[in-house]
Amino acid sequence: LRILLQYLFKIKELFIILLLLHFSFVNVQAQKKIHYSHKTSIAKAEAKKSIIKYGAASFYAKKFNGRETANGEIYSSAKYTAACNVLPLNTWIKVTNLRNDKIVIVKINDRLHPKNKRLVDLSRAAAQQLGYVSRGLTRVKVEVLENFQVGM
């Protein structure tokens, strides 16, 4: 009986060792897969290199009509322009209203007040195309358009 108990104890130890080896092997394989997928997502992101930002959009008040913008242009509520503090002046962006998926393409030609936390301030024409003039504010997705040219 004593020999049988020692034999069962040895089998139990071997079983535990086998289980530990199995789980450590599975863990290593899982880490390799995560590493692999991480590398491919980095490669895809580097291939894209498009800048996308999310935030709140408002639109210019009427009092700014006819005033000079940060890049020297005269603001008109009828043009498709925007003010933004986080992207360079003269950058063309595609703005998507996240409430209704309407899209407008505008040029950044002005800056917001430094304390303003909104992502963009659009001209009235752009805000009307996005369908949020009556609301005043909306959540938007902003995508930088590389090598964008205006069709004349």
Side-chain angles (χ1 to χ4, degrees), residues 82-107:
C84 181
N85 287 344
V86 296
L87 295 170
L89 289 173
N90 300 315
T91 301
W92 287 91
I93 57 174
K94 179 170 85 170
V95 182
T96 306
N97 185 341
L98 297 176
R99 287 183 169 272
N100 58 19
D101 291 326
K102 291 185 179 181
I103 295 171
V104 67
I105 294 175
V106 297
K107 177 183 173 184

Side-chain angles (χ1 to χ4, degrees), residues 55-59 95 118-122 130 132 136-140:
S58 56
F59 63 94
V95 182
R118 294 187 190 113
L119 180 58
V120 290
D121 199 14
L122 298 173
L130 290 180
Y132 73 94
L137 294 173
T138 191
R139 295 270 308 148
V140 293

Side-chain angles (χ1 to χ4, degrees), residues 12 14 24 27 41 48 59 66 113 120 124 129 136 141:
K12 181 180 172 186
L14 286 173
S24 64
N27 191 23
S41 64
K48 266 188 173 181
F59 63 94
H113 188 278
V120 290
R124 187 171 186 89
Q129 187 167 333
K141 173 183 174 183

